[in-house]
Amino acid sequence: MHMKSTLSAGMLGIAVALAAAIPAHSETLRVMNGAASSSLTVPMNRAVVVEADQPFAQLSIANPGIADISTLSDRSIYVLGKAPGRTTLTLLGENGSLIANVDVHVSIDVGEFKERLQQILPGEQIEVRTAADSIVLSGTVSSAAKLDRALDLAERYAPGRVSNLMNVGGVQQVMLKVRIAEMQRSVSKELSSAIGASVTRGTFKPSGGYSTSSAGGSAESGLGFSLTRGSFELNVLLEALESKGLVRTLAEPNLTALSGQEADFLAGGELPIPTRGDNNTISIEYKPFGVELKFTPRVVDGDLINLEISTAVSSIDSSIVTVAGGTTINGFKTRRTTTTVEMRDGESFAIAGLLQDDFTDGASQVPWLGDVPVLGSLFRSVDFQRKQSELVIIITPHLVTPVRGEALALPTDRVRPPTEAELFLLGKTAGNRSAKGAVAEVAKQDFSGSYGYVME
Protein backbone atom coordinates (compact mmCIF):
# COMPACT_ATOMS: atom_id res chain seq x y z
CA MET A 1 0.00 0.00 0.00
CA HIS A 2 2.81 2.37 0.84
CA MET A 3 4.56 1.69 -2.46
CA LYS A 4 1.32 2.29 -4.37
CA SER A 5 0.77 5.62 -2.61
CA THR A 6 4.33 6.71 -3.36
CA LEU A 7 3.89 5.86 -7.06
CA SER A 8 0.64 7.75 -7.21
CA ALA A 9 2.22 10.80 -5.61
CA GLY A 10 5.13 10.70 -8.08
CA MET A 11 2.85 10.47 -11.07
CA LEU A 12 0.78 13.36 -9.72
CA GLY A 13 3.89 15.53 -9.42
CA ILE A 14 4.95 14.75 -12.96
CA ALA A 15 1.45 15.48 -14.20
CA VAL A 16 1.41 18.86 -12.45
CA ALA A 17 4.82 19.79 -13.93
CA LEU A 18 3.87 18.73 -17.44
CA ALA A 19 0.50 20.43 -17.21
CA ALA A 20 2.26 23.70 -16.43
CA ALA A 21 4.41 23.27 -19.57
CA ILE A 22 1.48 22.54 -21.90
CA PRO A 23 0.60 25.54 -24.07
CA ALA A 24 -2.83 26.98 -23.42
CA HIS A 25 -3.88 26.38 -27.05
CA SER A 26 -2.92 22.67 -27.14
CA GLU A 27 -5.52 20.42 -28.75
CA THR A 28 -7.10 17.41 -27.05
CA LEU A 29 -8.02 14.03 -28.53
CA ARG A 30 -10.49 11.79 -26.68
CA VAL A 31 -10.37 8.06 -27.36
CA MET A 32 -13.08 5.58 -26.48
CA ASN A 33 -12.63 2.08 -25.20
CA GLY A 34 -12.92 -0.47 -27.96
CA ALA A 35 -12.11 1.96 -30.78
CA ALA A 36 -10.03 0.14 -33.34
CA SER A 37 -7.96 3.21 -34.19
CA SER A 38 -8.01 6.98 -33.97
CA SER A 39 -6.15 9.66 -35.94
CA LEU A 40 -4.10 12.41 -34.37
CA THR A 41 -2.27 15.22 -36.15
CA VAL A 42 0.51 16.87 -34.19
CA PRO A 43 2.41 19.92 -35.50
CA MET A 44 6.16 19.60 -35.19
CA ASN A 45 7.51 21.09 -31.94
CA ARG A 46 3.97 21.38 -30.56
CA ALA A 47 1.93 19.17 -28.22
CA VAL A 48 -1.49 17.49 -28.18
CA VAL A 49 -3.18 15.92 -25.16
CA VAL A 50 -4.81 12.49 -25.54
CA GLU A 51 -7.52 11.55 -23.01
CA ALA A 52 -8.93 8.04 -22.55
CA ASP A 53 -12.39 7.25 -21.20
CA GLN A 54 -10.90 4.70 -18.78
CA PRO A 55 -7.60 4.35 -16.95
CA PHE A 56 -4.75 2.77 -18.89
CA ALA A 57 -1.95 0.66 -17.48
CA GLN A 58 0.52 0.64 -20.35
CA LEU A 59 1.23 2.82 -23.36
CA SER A 60 3.86 2.73 -26.05
CA ILE A 61 4.93 4.70 -29.13
CA ALA A 62 6.18 2.82 -32.18
CA ASN A 63 8.80 5.39 -33.25
CA PRO A 64 10.03 7.69 -30.47
CA GLY A 65 12.01 9.68 -33.04
CA ILE A 66 8.78 11.00 -34.58
CA ALA A 67 6.76 11.69 -31.41
CA ASP A 68 7.51 11.67 -27.69
CA ILE A 69 4.93 10.81 -25.03
CA SER A 70 4.56 11.54 -21.33
CA THR A 71 1.74 10.64 -18.91
CA LEU A 72 -0.17 13.41 -17.21
CA SER A 73 -2.48 10.99 -15.32
CA ASP A 74 -3.83 7.50 -15.70
CA ARG A 75 -6.26 8.87 -18.31
CA SER A 76 -4.22 11.65 -20.02
CA ILE A 77 -1.14 11.53 -22.26
CA TYR A 78 1.05 14.35 -23.52
CA VAL A 79 2.15 13.80 -27.17
CA LEU A 80 4.95 16.03 -28.52
CA GLY A 81 5.77 16.17 -32.25
CA LYS A 82 9.49 15.83 -32.92
CA ALA A 83 9.97 15.07 -36.64
CA PRO A 84 7.64 14.83 -39.68
CA GLY A 85 6.29 11.34 -40.22
CA ARG A 86 3.74 8.76 -39.01
CA THR A 87 3.81 6.44 -36.01
CA THR A 88 1.37 4.56 -33.73
CA LEU A 89 0.44 5.20 -30.10
CA THR A 90 -0.97 2.12 -28.27
CA LEU A 91 -2.99 2.26 -25.04
CA LEU A 92 -3.53 -0.94 -22.95
CA GLY A 93 -5.71 -1.56 -19.89
CA GLU A 94 -4.80 -3.28 -16.57
CA ASN A 95 -5.51 -6.78 -17.87
CA GLY A 96 -3.60 -6.11 -21.10
CA SER A 97 -6.73 -5.38 -23.11
CA LEU A 98 -6.45 -2.93 -25.97
CA ILE A 99 -8.04 0.40 -25.26
CA ALA A 100 -7.13 2.09 -28.59
CA ASN A 101 -4.51 2.48 -31.31
CA VAL A 102 -3.88 6.11 -32.22
CA ASP A 103 -2.37 6.93 -35.62
CA VAL A 104 -0.06 9.87 -34.90
CA HIS A 105 0.82 12.09 -37.87
CA VAL A 106 3.53 14.67 -37.16
CA SER A 107 3.71 17.46 -39.75
CA ILE A 108 5.41 20.80 -39.98
CA ASP A 109 3.57 23.67 -38.33
CA VAL A 110 1.70 25.71 -40.98
CA GLY A 111 -0.60 27.61 -38.63
CA GLU A 112 1.56 30.71 -38.55
CA PHE A 113 2.21 30.42 -42.29
CA LYS A 114 -1.55 30.45 -42.98
CA GLU A 115 -1.98 33.55 -40.86
CA ARG A 116 0.84 35.39 -42.64
CA LEU A 117 -0.50 34.29 -46.02
CA GLN A 118 -3.92 35.77 -45.29
CA GLN A 119 -2.32 39.00 -44.10
CA ILE A 120 -0.11 39.43 -47.16
CA LEU A 121 -2.54 38.12 -49.78
CA PRO A 122 -6.06 38.75 -48.45
CA GLY A 123 -8.89 37.36 -50.52
CA GLU A 124 -6.76 34.87 -52.44
CA GLN A 125 -8.13 31.33 -52.58
CA ILE A 126 -4.98 29.46 -51.54
CA GLU A 127 -5.17 26.10 -49.78
CA VAL A 128 -2.25 24.98 -47.60
CA ARG A 129 -1.55 21.32 -46.92
CA THR A 130 1.38 19.32 -45.64
CA ALA A 131 3.01 16.23 -47.14
CA ALA A 132 5.71 14.70 -44.93
CA ASP A 133 8.08 17.62 -44.35
CA SER A 134 6.82 19.67 -47.32
CA ILE A 135 4.21 22.38 -47.83
CA VAL A 136 1.72 21.90 -50.67
CA LEU A 137 -0.02 25.00 -52.07
CA SER A 138 -3.10 24.67 -54.24
CA GLY A 139 -5.98 26.84 -55.38
CA THR A 140 -6.28 29.84 -57.70
CA VAL A 141 -4.57 33.21 -57.44
CA SER A 142 -5.47 36.32 -59.38
CA SER A 143 -2.05 37.04 -60.88
CA ALA A 144 1.40 35.61 -61.43
CA ALA A 145 2.92 38.22 -59.11
CA LYS A 146 0.78 37.01 -56.18
CA LEU A 147 1.69 33.43 -56.98
CA ASP A 148 5.37 34.35 -56.69
CA ARG A 149 4.73 36.08 -53.35
CA ALA A 150 2.98 33.01 -51.94
CA LEU A 151 5.83 30.74 -53.03
CA ASP A 152 8.44 33.08 -51.61
CA LEU A 153 6.68 33.13 -48.24
CA ALA A 154 6.33 29.33 -48.21
CA GLU A 155 10.05 28.95 -48.92
CA ARG A 156 10.81 30.76 -45.67
CA TYR A 157 8.88 28.14 -43.68
CA ALA A 158 10.00 25.07 -45.64
CA PRO A 159 13.12 25.91 -47.67
CA GLY A 160 13.36 23.72 -50.75
CA ARG A 161 10.28 21.73 -49.73
CA VAL A 162 7.41 23.63 -51.36
CA SER A 163 5.13 22.01 -53.94
CA ASN A 164 3.20 24.42 -56.15
CA LEU A 165 -0.19 23.24 -57.41
CA MET A 166 -1.66 26.73 -57.76
CA ASN A 167 -3.26 28.12 -60.91
CA VAL A 168 -3.35 31.72 -62.11
CA GLY A 169 -6.86 32.91 -62.80
CA GLY A 170 -8.09 35.81 -64.92
CA VAL A 171 -7.19 36.63 -68.51
CA GLN A 172 -3.69 35.47 -69.38
CA GLN A 173 -3.59 36.17 -73.13
CA VAL A 174 -2.28 39.46 -74.47
CA MET A 175 -2.79 41.01 -77.91
CA LEU A 176 -0.15 43.59 -78.75
CA LYS A 177 -0.97 46.29 -81.29
CA VAL A 178 2.07 48.07 -82.70
CA ARG A 179 1.89 51.19 -84.86
CA ILE A 180 5.00 52.19 -86.76
CA ALA A 181 4.69 55.53 -88.56
CA GLU A 182 7.47 57.21 -90.52
CA MET A 183 7.60 60.32 -92.68
CA GLN A 184 10.59 61.19 -94.85
CA ARG A 185 10.89 64.49 -96.66
CA SER A 186 13.71 65.41 -99.01
CA VAL A 187 14.45 68.63 -100.90
CA SER A 188 17.39 69.29 -103.18
CA LYS A 189 18.21 72.35 -105.28
CA GLU A 190 21.04 72.98 -107.72
CA LEU A 191 22.07 76.09 -109.61
CA SER A 192 24.97 75.95 -112.04
CA SER A 193 26.32 77.95 -114.96
CA ALA A 194 28.53 77.34 -117.95
CA ILE A 195 30.20 79.87 -120.22
CA GLY A 196 32.29 79.25 -123.29
CA ALA A 197 33.77 81.19 -126.22
CA SER A 198 35.25 80.17 -129.56
CA VAL A 199 36.95 81.88 -132.54
CA THR A 200 36.95 80.30 -135.97
CA ARG A 201 39.59 81.21 -138.52
CA GLY A 202 39.90 79.09 -141.60
CA THR A 203 39.93 75.44 -140.66
CA PHE A 204 41.25 76.09 -137.16
CA LYS A 205 38.61 76.51 -134.39
CA PRO A 206 40.00 76.99 -130.90
CA SER A 207 37.49 77.22 -128.03
CA GLY A 208 37.70 78.00 -124.36
CA GLY A 209 35.47 78.61 -121.38
CA TYR A 210 34.39 77.33 -117.97
CA SER A 211 31.57 75.11 -116.94
CA THR A 212 30.29 74.61 -113.39
CA SER A 213 27.45 72.41 -114.42
CA SER A 214 26.82 69.67 -111.84
CA ALA A 215 26.29 66.06 -112.69
CA GLY A 216 22.65 66.29 -111.70
CA GLY A 217 21.88 69.14 -114.10
CA SER A 218 20.13 68.68 -117.41
CA ALA A 219 19.53 70.82 -120.43
CA GLU A 220 15.79 70.55 -119.92
CA SER A 221 16.07 72.51 -116.64
CA GLY A 222 18.43 75.14 -117.99
CA LEU A 223 18.36 78.45 -119.81
CA GLY A 224 20.99 79.24 -122.43
CA PHE A 225 21.83 81.83 -125.04
CA SER A 226 24.63 82.44 -127.53
CA LEU A 227 26.14 85.52 -129.14
CA THR A 228 27.89 85.38 -132.52
CA ARG A 229 29.87 88.18 -134.07
CA GLY A 230 31.75 87.16 -137.16
CA SER A 231 34.13 84.38 -136.25
CA PHE A 232 33.58 84.93 -132.50
CA GLU A 233 30.95 82.93 -130.64
CA LEU A 234 29.99 83.21 -126.94
CA ASN A 235 27.76 80.59 -125.22
CA VAL A 236 26.16 80.96 -121.77
CA LEU A 237 24.11 78.21 -120.07
CA LEU A 238 22.31 78.49 -116.74
CA GLU A 239 20.97 75.28 -115.24
CA ALA A 240 18.64 74.95 -112.24
CA LEU A 241 17.25 71.76 -110.80
CA GLU A 242 14.88 71.32 -107.88
CA SER A 243 13.50 68.02 -106.58
CA LYS A 244 11.17 67.16 -103.72
CA GLY A 245 10.27 63.80 -102.28
CA LEU A 246 7.93 62.42 -99.64
CA VAL A 247 7.89 58.89 -98.26
CA ARG A 248 5.13 57.71 -95.92
CA THR A 249 5.42 54.38 -94.08
CA LEU A 250 2.74 52.92 -91.85
CA ALA A 251 2.75 49.42 -90.40
CA GLU A 252 0.35 48.05 -87.81
CA PRO A 253 1.25 44.46 -86.86
CA ASN A 254 -0.99 42.78 -84.27
CA LEU A 255 0.01 39.62 -82.43
CA THR A 256 -1.49 37.60 -79.55
CA ALA A 257 0.44 35.43 -77.10
CA LEU A 258 -0.05 33.64 -73.80
CA SER A 259 1.43 35.27 -70.71
CA GLY A 260 5.08 34.28 -70.37
CA GLN A 261 5.35 32.86 -73.91
CA GLU A 262 7.27 34.45 -76.78
CA ALA A 263 5.58 35.20 -80.10
CA ASP A 264 7.05 36.53 -83.34
CA PHE A 265 5.60 37.89 -86.56
CA LEU A 266 7.08 38.69 -90.00
CA ALA A 267 5.29 40.30 -92.93
CA GLY A 268 7.73 40.72 -95.78
CA GLY A 269 10.17 38.35 -97.38
CA GLU A 270 13.66 36.92 -97.31
CA LEU A 271 16.51 38.04 -99.53
CA PRO A 272 18.98 35.34 -100.65
CA ILE A 273 22.57 36.32 -99.99
CA PRO A 274 25.41 34.10 -101.31
CA THR A 275 28.29 33.40 -98.92
CA ARG A 276 31.56 31.63 -99.57
CA GLY A 277 32.33 28.74 -97.25
CA ASP A 278 35.10 26.19 -96.96
CA ASN A 279 36.68 24.80 -100.16
CA ASN A 280 35.32 27.86 -102.02
CA THR A 281 31.79 26.48 -101.89
CA ILE A 282 28.95 28.94 -102.26
CA SER A 283 26.01 28.72 -99.89
CA ILE A 284 22.86 30.80 -99.69
CA GLU A 285 21.74 32.59 -96.56
CA TYR A 286 18.38 34.28 -96.33
CA LYS A 287 18.00 37.63 -94.59
CA PRO A 288 14.44 38.58 -93.65
CA PHE A 289 13.06 42.03 -94.37
CA GLY A 290 9.72 43.72 -93.90
CA VAL A 291 7.76 44.24 -90.70
CA GLU A 292 9.09 42.14 -87.81
CA LEU A 293 7.61 41.85 -84.33
CA LYS A 294 8.74 39.72 -81.41
CA PHE A 295 7.43 40.11 -77.88
CA THR A 296 6.96 38.27 -74.58
CA PRO A 297 4.04 39.43 -72.40
CA ARG A 298 3.66 38.78 -68.70
CA VAL A 299 0.46 39.58 -66.83
CA VAL A 300 1.91 40.88 -63.58
CA ASP A 301 -1.12 41.80 -61.50
CA GLY A 302 -4.71 42.11 -62.67
CA ASP A 303 -4.50 44.20 -65.85
CA LEU A 304 -0.86 45.23 -65.37
CA ILE A 305 1.24 43.82 -68.23
CA ASN A 306 5.01 43.56 -68.56
CA LEU A 307 6.24 43.49 -72.16
CA GLU A 308 9.59 42.57 -73.68
CA ILE A 309 9.42 43.90 -77.24
CA SER A 310 11.62 43.78 -80.31
CA THR A 311 10.22 45.34 -83.47
CA ALA A 312 11.78 46.37 -86.78
CA VAL A 313 10.81 47.68 -90.21
CA SER A 314 13.35 46.99 -92.93
CA SER A 315 13.45 47.36 -96.69
CA ILE A 316 15.94 46.84 -99.49
CA ASP A 317 18.01 49.96 -100.14
CA SER A 318 19.01 50.14 -103.79
CA SER A 319 21.37 53.03 -103.09
CA ILE A 320 23.73 50.68 -101.25
CA VAL A 321 25.24 48.06 -103.55
CA THR A 322 28.02 45.57 -102.86
CA VAL A 323 29.56 43.26 -105.43
CA ALA A 324 30.87 39.98 -104.02
CA GLY A 325 32.01 37.11 -106.20
CA GLY A 326 30.40 38.65 -109.25
CA THR A 327 27.04 38.95 -107.46
CA THR A 328 25.46 42.33 -106.78
CA ILE A 329 23.97 42.56 -103.28
CA ASN A 330 21.78 45.41 -102.10
CA GLY A 331 21.93 46.88 -98.64
CA PHE A 332 19.10 47.21 -96.14
CA LYS A 333 17.42 50.16 -94.52
CA THR A 334 16.28 49.17 -91.04
CA ARG A 335 14.49 50.87 -88.16
CA ARG A 336 14.65 48.66 -85.08
CA THR A 337 13.96 48.92 -81.35
CA THR A 338 14.24 46.51 -78.40
CA THR A 339 12.94 47.43 -74.97
CA THR A 340 10.97 46.35 -71.89
CA VAL A 341 8.02 48.36 -70.61
CA GLU A 342 5.10 47.92 -68.23
CA MET A 343 1.57 49.26 -68.64
CA ARG A 344 -2.07 48.42 -68.11
CA ASP A 345 -4.63 46.98 -70.46
CA GLY A 346 -5.57 49.45 -73.19
CA GLU A 347 -2.86 51.99 -72.37
CA SER A 348 -0.46 53.16 -75.08
CA PHE A 349 3.23 53.88 -74.92
CA ALA A 350 5.53 55.54 -77.46
CA ILE A 351 8.51 53.22 -77.03
CA ALA A 352 10.67 54.83 -79.73
CA GLY A 353 10.89 58.13 -81.56
CA LEU A 354 13.30 59.66 -84.05
CA LEU A 355 13.56 63.17 -85.47
CA GLN A 356 16.43 63.48 -87.91
CA ASP A 357 17.32 66.53 -90.00
CA ASP A 358 20.26 66.29 -92.44
CA PHE A 359 21.41 69.37 -94.35
CA THR A 360 24.29 69.57 -96.81
CA ASP A 361 25.32 72.35 -99.17
CA GLY A 362 28.26 73.06 -101.41
CA ALA A 363 29.61 75.66 -103.82
CA SER A 364 32.26 75.59 -106.52
CA GLN A 365 33.56 78.49 -108.62
CA VAL A 366 36.30 79.78 -110.85
CA PRO A 367 38.97 81.41 -108.68
CA TRP A 368 38.63 85.19 -108.51
CA LEU A 369 35.99 85.34 -111.23
CA GLY A 370 33.42 83.72 -108.95
CA ASP A 371 33.93 86.51 -106.40
CA VAL A 372 32.96 89.26 -108.82
CA PRO A 373 29.63 90.82 -107.76
CA VAL A 374 26.60 89.93 -109.93
CA LEU A 375 28.62 88.56 -112.85
CA GLY A 376 30.39 86.15 -110.50
CA SER A 377 27.28 83.96 -110.39
CA LEU A 378 28.07 82.92 -113.96
CA PHE A 379 31.23 81.30 -112.66
CA ARG A 380 29.70 79.54 -109.61
CA SER A 381 27.72 76.38 -108.97
CA VAL A 382 25.66 76.00 -105.79
CA ASP A 383 23.64 73.05 -104.51
CA PHE A 384 22.07 71.92 -101.25
CA GLN A 385 20.16 68.94 -99.99
CA ARG A 386 17.93 68.58 -96.95
CA LYS A 387 16.39 65.37 -95.61
CA GLN A 388 14.02 65.12 -92.66
CA SER A 389 12.82 61.90 -91.04
CA GLU A 390 10.21 61.41 -88.33
CA LEU A 391 9.70 57.95 -86.82
CA VAL A 392 7.35 56.95 -84.00
CA ILE A 393 6.62 53.46 -82.63
CA ILE A 394 3.53 53.16 -80.41
CA ILE A 395 2.38 49.99 -78.65
CA THR A 396 -0.97 49.15 -77.05
CA PRO A 397 -1.53 45.84 -75.19
CA HIS A 398 -4.98 44.31 -74.65
CA LEU A 399 -6.08 41.40 -72.49
CA VAL A 400 -8.12 39.17 -74.78
CA THR A 401 -10.22 36.03 -74.57
CA PRO A 402 -11.33 33.69 -77.36
CA VAL A 403 -14.75 34.12 -78.99
CA ARG A 404 -16.97 31.90 -81.09
CA GLY A 405 -15.86 31.54 -84.67
CA GLU A 406 -19.13 32.97 -86.00
CA ALA A 407 -18.29 36.33 -84.43
CA LEU A 408 -15.14 36.78 -86.50
CA ALA A 409 -15.06 37.96 -90.11
CA LEU A 410 -12.26 37.56 -92.64
CA PRO A 411 -11.49 39.94 -95.52
CA THR A 412 -12.29 37.08 -97.92
CA ASP A 413 -15.76 36.55 -96.43
CA ARG A 414 -17.24 39.55 -98.22
CA VAL A 415 -15.86 38.72 -101.68
CA ARG A 416 -16.86 35.84 -103.95
CA PRO A 417 -15.14 35.13 -107.25
CA PRO A 418 -17.54 36.01 -110.12
CA THR A 419 -19.04 33.43 -112.40
CA GLU A 420 -18.22 33.50 -116.10
CA ALA A 421 -21.56 35.17 -116.86
CA GLU A 422 -20.97 37.85 -114.20
CA LEU A 423 -17.44 38.48 -115.43
CA PHE A 424 -17.89 38.47 -119.23
CA LEU A 425 -21.51 39.63 -119.60
CA LEU A 426 -21.93 41.97 -116.66
CA GLY A 427 -18.29 43.00 -116.14
CA LYS A 428 -18.35 42.25 -112.42
CA THR A 429 -15.07 41.52 -110.69
CA ALA A 430 -16.80 40.07 -107.62
CA GLY A 431 -19.99 38.07 -107.29
CA ASN A 432 -22.85 38.62 -104.90
CA ARG A 433 -22.81 36.72 -101.63
CA SER A 434 -25.49 36.56 -99.00
CA ALA A 435 -23.97 36.68 -95.53
CA LYS A 436 -25.18 36.66 -91.96
CA GLY A 437 -23.89 37.93 -88.65
CA ALA A 438 -20.54 39.68 -88.51
CA VAL A 439 -19.80 38.76 -92.12
CA ALA A 440 -22.94 40.57 -93.26
CA GLU A 441 -21.91 43.74 -91.43
CA VAL A 442 -18.54 43.73 -93.17
CA ALA A 443 -20.17 42.97 -96.52
CA LYS A 444 -22.17 46.22 -96.31
CA GLN A 445 -19.03 48.23 -97.02
CA ASP A 446 -19.10 50.26 -100.21
CA PHE A 447 -16.37 49.45 -102.73
CA SER A 448 -17.31 52.15 -105.22
CA GLY A 449 -14.63 54.53 -103.97
CA SER A 450 -11.27 54.20 -102.24
CA TYR A 451 -11.01 51.19 -99.97
CA GLY A 452 -8.36 49.17 -98.21
CA TYR A 453 -6.98 48.36 -94.81
CA VAL A 454 -6.42 52.03 -93.96
CA MET A 455 -9.18 54.48 -94.85
CA GLU A 456 -8.95 58.24 -94.55
Side-chain angles (χ1 to χ4, degrees), residues 349-367:
F349 216 130
I351 61 170
L354 171 66
L355 178 60
Q356 184 175 356
D357 191 348
D358 297 330
F359 177 80
T360 59
D361 62 356
S364 58
Q365 65 179 24
V366 177

Side-chain angles (χ1 to χ4, degrees), residues 416-431:
R416 178 179 63 82
T419 63
E420 292 184 357
E422 290 173 335
L423 178 61
F424 293 106
L425 298 180
L426 302 179
K428 292 185 177 181
T429 58

Side-chain angles (χ1 to χ4, degrees), residues 3-238:
M3 182 179 296
K4 186 175 180 179
S5 300
T6 304
L7 180 60
S8 299
M11 292 182 61
L12 180 61
I14 295 174
V16 172
L18 290 175
I22 296 176
H25 56 273
S26 295
E27 300 179 1
T28 301
L29 174 68
R30 290 179 174 83
V31 296
M32 305 297 293
N33 182 22
S37 63
S38 300
S39 179
L40 174 65
T41 300
V42 183
M44 190 169 62
N45 299 322
R46 295 183 63 180
V48 174
V49 176
V50 177
E51 293 183 350
D53 63 339
Q54 68 178 36
F56 55 83
Q58 296 181 11
L59 69 157
S60 63
I61 189 77
N63 189 346
I66 295 179
D68 194 8
I69 57 175
S70 298
T71 56
L72 300 176
S73 68
D74 59 352
R75 295 174 182 263
S76 301
I77 307 165
Y78 183 79
V79 182
L80 175 66
K82 298 177 63 178
R86 287 183 178 273
T87 187
T88 302
L89 171 64
T90 303
L91 284 73
L92 300 176
E94 292 183 357
N95 56 359
S97 61
L98 177 65
I99 298 177
N101 278 329
V102 180
D103 184 15
V104 180
H105 177 206
V106 179
S107 61
I108 59 176
D109 186 9
V110 294
E112 182 183 0
F113 170 63
K114 290 181 179 180
E115 295 177 1
R116 296 293 179 266
L117 197 62
Q118 289 298 323
Q119 293 173 357
I120 297 175
L121 300 175
E124 297 296 329
Q125 303 299 320
I126 302 177
E127 298 180 1
V128 181
R129 296 183 177 90
T130 59
D133 60 344
S134 302
I135 293 179
V136 180
L137 301 180
S138 61
T140 303
V141 292
S142 58
S143 67
K146 293 183 178 179
L147 183 145
D148 293 337
R149 294 174 192 169
L151 293 177
D152 181 67
L153 182 62
E155 283 290 336
R156 298 182 180 274
Y157 285 87
R161 306 189 308 275
V162 178
S163 298
N164 176 27
L165 301 179
M166 294 184 293
N167 296 319
V168 179
V171 179
Q172 297 295 310
Q173 295 183 111
V174 180
M175 183 190 73
L176 182 64
K177 179 180 180 181
V178 181
R179 289 177 289 172
I180 304 172
E182 183 178 22
M183 294 290 291
Q184 297 181 10
R185 307 177 185 88
S186 62
V187 177
S188 64
K189 294 183 180 181
E190 298 180 5
L191 178 63
S192 61
S193 63
I195 183 170
S198 63
V199 178
T200 304
R201 291 183 178 180
T203 58
F204 177 71
K205 184 180 181 180
S207 62
Y210 171 73
S211 174
T212 59
S213 177
S214 63
S218 62
E220 296 180 356
S221 61
L223 175 65
F225 62 90
S226 62
L227 177 63
T228 304
R229 175 71 67 178
S231 60
F232 177 76
E233 182 179 0
L234 177 66
N235 297 310
V236 178
L237 176 64
L238 298 177

